[in-house]
Amino acid sequence: MMGVLDWPGKSAPEGGIEHPAFYHMIDVGAVAECLLAPLDLPAERKALYALAAALHDLGKISASFRDMLREGKRQGAGRHWEVTEVWLRDFDDLLSGIAGDVFDRRDFYAAIAGHHGRPPIQEEFGKMRVAAGKEAQADAREATEALMSLWPGARFDLPWEEVAAQTWWLPGLIAVADWLGSNPVFFPPVAAGPDAEGYLGQARAKAARTVRLAGLDLPDLSQIPVIPDDWTLRPMQLAAQDIALPEGPALALIEDETGSGKTEAALILAQRMMQAGKGRGLFFALPTMATANAMFDRAADLVGRLYDGAPSLALAHGRAGMSARFRELIRAPRGPAQPACTDWLADDRRRALLANVGVGTVDQALLSALPVRHAMLRHFALSRKILIVDEVHEMGDPYMAEELCHLLRLHRRMGGSAILMTATMPVDLRAKLCDAFGCAPPESRAYPALTVAGHAQVTDVASVNTRGPVRVARLPAPEAALDLLQDSVAQGAAALWVRNAVDDAIEAVRMLRARGVRADLLHARFALCDRMRHERNVLETYGKDRRDRPGRVLVATQVVESSLDLDFDVMVSDLAPIPALVQRAGRLWRHMDRRPAAHRPCSAPLLHVVSPDPGQVSDPLWLRHVLDRGAFTYPLDQQWRAARALFSAGQIDAPAGLRDLIEEGLSGGDLPEPLKRAEADRIGQGFARTDHARQNLIDLTASYRQIKGFADDADFPTRLGVEQHVLVLARGTEHGLLPLDADAWTVDSRQRSEISAAARRVNALPLPDQTAPEIMAAKKDWPDWMQARLTMCPVAADGTICEGLSYDREIGLIFGLS
């Protein structure tokens, strides 16, 4: 055994103890044991997974690896995880008992070795053996026998397709266990001495403490309702309490109008699924960081009630640190029903998926279905959770829809259940998602509806709408919108004009202000610090608790559709597809309990839509004649169908008429001849996007070893669209370039100074020279990938960045003359 203990796991700190690789392997196996303990798996399966985790670094028993650590020599053929696969295949006679088929075992060996985020690259095994040495081979064999004695009975017999599924899940488990087992704070170095069994006792005690401190322990499920007793449940929430659930994985669809309490209904349903053994945690997947932040704020007060103990709760997206609520939870004490987030979970957005309850962008979940680094870690993190996808209608783009279908297949394959929430999902998308999960779609077109696909449906859900139908009127030109808004503000209204393009929004707010109208502006082309400041002001002026008659107008883009809880008396919108218009109308006369009709400056809710007449189409520029740049934001044929359906109906009758309006607005009516080319182009692009997604997505019929790719996330995007260029805005000071609203460069201040714009527009401009001394000094600590992707842009006192580009903190990023 002392020969086995002479192989180092990592470099010893100067003058410190060298932790043997063999002990590290036991550490990781013990952590895996703790992670597996609460899962409902056969004992022999748990033993196999713990053994697999322990064997993950068998390749560190190698002369090449030891010489690299101790003497600084360049490592020979094969990195240590690739040598792991060589040793496992060489010792197949020892391991033959874990599975009956040699090819199944080899797939497992590749999964064990592939814990660094991708399958090991198969080089010549002979060269790896030579570099590792015969002494290492003998000691690695002895180590394998010793580890097998610690986890006897490890066995796995399943059909091949299920073996393939397990080879995807296993690298994720091992990666998490290795992450924790490699942390010297949790597992300080131990000098060679104890034998395998003696050291395992030490490792198990450390592992139990480590899993708890990291926030990965699973508290017992609570039996109290997740919604407090003093709440009055809404109809959809009552339906979620009663609908029957099937055995095994379940897919639920909550279709109801905005403001109906879908989130709380999903929590009620998720709690019932968890109590039925369909998961031990939740992950909320949202379309944007803004909607994820809003969901995090909303869910944080309730999710603690899902557990008897205190759960871990994390926000998972690239700018999670910007959330004040999330920052409050980090290091907060975990008390009864009080969620918190550990430093370890908060340190990496991939780790955030491992929290008992996670909230993030849908991209974080979709990456588990793409061949990117650490996809399997994400898959493991999600596999034991109820996946809750909100605003599903926003994922109807052919590329994202195909990804979401694949995610549902992948999730169900490991026994996962899901809940999909939407206000405006078309029935064809609903059918596609149900089919992907392996369930028959509902036949009823009723709306609202709560469906457990292939099992049960509740359609007698009463509406919570107290405002009545929203009448619709057409405005023939933007000038008519300006007149209407000026008159409305004079009467004290809280008014909104949703424009499809940022440049149009900027132009509109300038024209309103030129008329003396008090107008605010919100869009996505602000630096993050200014975007957050404007959002706070917008919520104060137009939110739930606003004054009855503020006498102001907000000009905004699509950013107001879902993430902000706003309430307007008067609304104007550029023409958009029906789902977008319905979402926008959801902010009109929203909080009737606080501001009933008598408190409004107008007699009824009315949506004014800036649009040409759908009955008068003379050329393909039908929409461009009325809307400027906003005419190109959405597919032209869907815009025309939306206009035809909306103006024919004369109202948005939610919920009774909503389903028919959505379907008519997306596929009803024969297009005028000048617009048929636009429809053909959209359909063709849709086929291309679907095919693109299918080429990118992981092949579910293959084992982990067979998957190709595993490149950077950027090579396999979660969504297609206009390529963005990220600028980092800076201000010149006597101390050099500094962030817009901070006195030093940190991760936080850099992100707050970032702004994104269309790459095709930005790249055509003479952007500041990144080799300028003051820029190089400010960027000196940036990693190489950040240097390549982010462009620092000093902003002059007058707002100039370069010729053709300027920035105004009240207007945003401006192209052309300011």
Side-chain angles (χ1 to χ4, degrees):
M1 177 58 69
M2 287 308 295
V4 170
L5 295 178
D6 191 43
W7 301 94
K10 60 180 66 178
S11 299
E14 187 172 346
I17 296 171
E18 184 180 72
H19 196 59
F22 184 67
Y23 285 175
H24 168 65
M25 289 187 272
I26 294 176
D27 293 337
V28 174
V31 173
E33 268 189 341
C34 288
L35 296 174
L36 293 163
L39 304 186
D40 184 19
L41 295 171
E44 62 271 16
R45 186 91 59 83
K46 288 184 178 181
L48 174 63
Y49 290 151
L51 173 62
L55 290 168
H56 79 291
D57 267 355
L58 193 64
K60 286 185 175 179
I61 300 180
S62 158
S64 174
F65 183 78
R66 181 172 61 185
D67 292 346
M68 179 189 69
L69 290 186
R70 290 180 176 172
E71 300 175 25
K73 292 182 180 180
R74 184 174 180 177
Q75 193 169 5
R79 289 158 292 190
H80 71 269
W81 61 91
E82 292 161 347
V83 178
T84 292
E85 184 180 20
V86 175
W87 289 155
L88 291 173
R89 291 179 67 143
D90 283 355
F91 310 149
D92 186 64
D93 60 317
L94 294 178
L95 296 162
S96 60
I98 67 172
D101 186 278
V102 64
F103 295 105
D104 287 350
R105 295 197 299 272
R106 288 183 176 181
D107 282 338
F108 262 86
Y109 300 156
I112 292 169
H115 60 280
H116 280 276
R118 65 184 186 194
I121 298 172
Q122 284 184 304
E123 299 177 6
E124 293 185 24
F125 285 177
K127 289 183 178 180
M128 293 191 208
R129 291 189 189 94
V130 171
K134 290 186 177 180
E135 178 192 7
Q137 186 178 42
D139 284 345
R141 186 178 181 89
E142 182 182 348
T144 301
E145 291 177 310
L147 293 172
M148 292 179 68
S149 71
L150 299 180
W151 288 282
R155 180 74 182 170
F156 186 47
D157 277 319
L158 283 174
W160 178 85
E161 60 273 13
E162 294 190 40
V163 172
Q166 297 298 325
T167 67
W168 291 29
W169 183 84
L170 184 58
L173 167 68
I174 295 174
V176 177
D178 188 33
W179 238 339
L180 294 171
S182 299
N183 191 318
V185 175
F186 296 144
F187 288 89
V190 175
D195 62 11
E197 189 170 349
Y199 184 75
L200 178 60
Q202 297 181 34
R204 280 173 167 160
K206 293 175 186 175
R209 179 175 179 273
T210 293
V211 169
R212 184 178 67 257
L213 291 176
L216 301 189
D217 54 322
L218 283 171
D220 292 333
L221 298 178
S222 171
Q223 299 303 312
I224 66 170
V226 66
I227 305 300
D229 293 336
D230 57 351
W231 286 34
T232 300
L233 296 185
R234 298 183 177 186
M236 183 60 75
Q237 296 159 5
L238 291 169
Q241 280 187 328
D242 299 329
I243 193 167
L245 296 177
E247 295 292 328
L251 174 67
L253 301 100
I254 301 176
E255 300 175 271
D256 206 348
E257 56 194 310
T258 57
S260 61
K262 292 189 291 294
T263 297
E264 291 75 18
L267 281 169
I268 292 170
L269 201 54
Q271 181 178 43
R272 293 182 58 210
M273 288 179 172
M274 291 167 66
Q275 291 170 344
K278 301 181 189 301
R280 292 297 300 267
L282 308 178
F283 184 74
F284 290 88
L286 286 298
T288 65
M289 287 187 280
T291 51
N293 289 343
M295 178 63 78
F296 186 84
D297 292 343
R298 189 171 178 182
D301 295 325
L302 295 175
V303 295
R305 297 174 61 87
L306 294 169
Y307 300 91
D308 278 339
S312 54
L313 170 64
L315 183 60
H317 61 65
R319 288 175 171 169
M322 299 289 101
S323 166
R325 187 69 183 273
F326 184 44
R327 291 197 302 271
E328 290 173 5
L329 282 180
I330 299 173
R331 303 184 194 175
R334 294 170 73 183
Q338 293 297 319
C341 184
T342 65
D343 285 328
W344 189 85
L345 285 171
D347 190 50
D348 188 296
R349 62 178 177 266
R350 293 167 301 180
R351 293 183 192 174
L353 295 176
L354 295 163
N356 303 145
V357 179
V359 182
T361 57
V362 70
D363 309 79
Q364 297 303 318
L366 293 176
L367 283 169
S368 67
L370 291 165
V372 299
R373 291 288 299 276
H374 296 294
M376 301 306 105
L377 186 147
R378 290 181 170 93
H379 172 48
F380 166 77
L382 294 173
S383 63
R384 298 295 167 174
K385 290 182 169 66
I386 310 298
L387 176 63
I388 303 176
V389 186
D390 195 11
E391 310 284 2
V392 177
H393 50 272
E394 293 196 22
M395 303 164 201
D397 166 82
Y399 185 86
M400 285 194 77
E402 194 66 27
E403 287 181 304
L404 183 56
C405 286
H406 214 63
L407 174 63
L408 291 174
R409 295 185 193 101
L410 178 62
H411 194 58
R412 189 190 193 285
R413 188 166 77 164
M414 288 303 294
S417 293
I419 300 171
L420 309 181
M421 296 189 289
T422 180
T424 57
M425 179 164 58
V427 292
D428 61 343
L429 178 59
R430 181 178 72 175
K432 185 174 182 178
L433 295 172
C434 289
D435 182 67
F437 198 78
C439 298
E443 295 182 1
S444 171
R445 288 165 54 103
Y447 184 97
L450 172 60
T451 306
V452 177
H455 185 72
Q457 187 177 45
V458 177
T459 58
D460 58 342
V461 181
S463 173
V464 298
N465 184 353
T466 58
R467 68 180 179 181
V470 174
R471 292 189 296 114
V472 177
R474 185 174 72 87
L475 296 178
E479 290 72 19
L482 294 170
D483 294 339
L484 172 73
L485 291 169
Q486 184 174 8
D487 291 343
S488 299
V489 167
Q491 297 171 34
L496 171 69
W497 186 0
V498 186
R499 307 234 61 186
N500 291 344
V502 173
D503 290 331
D504 290 349
I506 291 173
E507 180 184 9
V509 84
R510 284 173 166 168
M511 289 189 291
L512 285 165
R513 289 172 180 174
R515 291 176 174 222
V517 177
R518 296 192 300 168
D520 303 300
L521 181 63
L522 185 65
H523 54 70
R525 225 163 63 199
F526 281 107
L528 184 59
C529 58
D530 293 328
R531 165 87 176 262
M532 295 170 68
R533 174 171 57 86
H534 288 301
E535 285 186 354
R536 287 193 297 269
N537 292 337
V538 164
L539 282 168
E540 182 178 342
T541 306
Y542 307 98
K544 177 188 280 191
D545 299 320
R546 70 169 173 85
R547 293 190 299 112
D548 279 355
R549 295 174 182 261
R552 296 186 73 92
V553 59
L554 172 65
V555 181
T557 57
Q558 298 88 339
V559 297
V560 297
E561 284 183 18
S562 55
S563 60
L564 300 174
D565 186 3
L566 305 176
D567 180 7
F568 296 94
D569 304 310
V570 174
M571 183 177 293
V572 176
S573 173
D574 290 354
L575 180 63
I578 288 293
L581 290 172
V582 171
Q583 285 292 114
R584 295 172 187 183
R587 273 66 193 157
L588 182 60
W589 284 41
R590 183 177 179 88
H591 291 290
M592 295 297 293
D593 56 333
R594 294 172 181 251
R595 278 172 292 280
H599 290 239
R600 308 268 180 178
C602 42
S603 59
L606 175 60
L607 174 64
H608 302 268
V609 180
V610 180
S611 169
D613 185 347
Q616 301 292 324
V617 182
S618 58
D619 60 60
L621 298 179
W622 166 77
L623 187 56
R624 180 68 189 273
H625 294 315
V626 172
L627 298 183
D628 192 1
R629 288 143 292 203
F632 303 102
T633 304
Y634 302 103
L636 181 59
D637 59 311
Q638 291 187 349
Q639 299 259 59
W640 179 86
R641 284 198 167 97
R644 177 182 177 275
L646 199 61
F647 300 141
S648 295
Q651 64 179 8
I652 298 174
D653 183 11
L658 206 52
R659 178 82 75 191
D660 289 341
L661 182 64
I662 292 169
E663 298 304 318
E664 183 71 15
L666 290 176
S667 57
D670 291 330
L671 279 170
E673 191 62 36
L675 304 184
K676 288 185 177 179
R677 176 62 183 271
E679 180 181 49
D681 289 345
R682 177 183 60 82
I683 293 172
Q685 291 169 5
F687 284 133
R689 285 171 175 253
T690 299
D691 186 60
H692 188 173
R694 289 173 179 169
Q695 290 181 42
N696 281 355
L697 291 163
I698 291 171
D699 181 2
L700 293 183
T701 66
S703 69
Y704 181 55
R705 149 64 74 204
Q706 296 169 304
I707 302 302
K708 306 298 182 184
F710 291 92
D712 292 336
D713 296 359
D715 295 330
F716 293 94
T718 55
R719 57 183 84 196
L720 301 180
V722 177
E723 182 184 356
Q724 297 291 298
H725 189 135
V726 180
L727 310 178
V728 179
L729 304 186
R731 56 191 176 90
T733 73
E734 60 183 6
H735 303 294
L737 294 178
L738 292 176
L740 284 185
D741 68 342
D743 294 327
W745 288 105
T746 63
V747 171
D748 182 82
S749 64
R750 189 207 74 240
Q751 289 185 338
R752 291 173 63 88
S753 298
E754 288 180 2
I755 189 169
S756 297
R760 61 177 177 78
R761 300 184 71 181
V762 171
N763 294 344
L765 299 173
L767 293 176
D769 180 4
Q770 298 301 288
T771 64
E774 63 173 358
I775 292 178
M776 292 185 69
K779 294 171 61 174
K780 61 181 172 50
D781 295 326
W782 289 12
D784 290 343
W785 70 266
M786 195 180 293
Q787 297 269 5
R789 295 184 187 177
L790 276 60
T791 301
M792 180 166 286
C793 295
V795 181
D798 64 356
T800 300
I801 295 173
C802 66
E803 184 180 354
L805 189 66
S806 61
Y807 184 73
D808 184 312
R809 301 192 69 173
E810 303 306 315
I811 296 293
L813 192 67
I814 304 166
F815 289 91
L817 299 176
S818 59

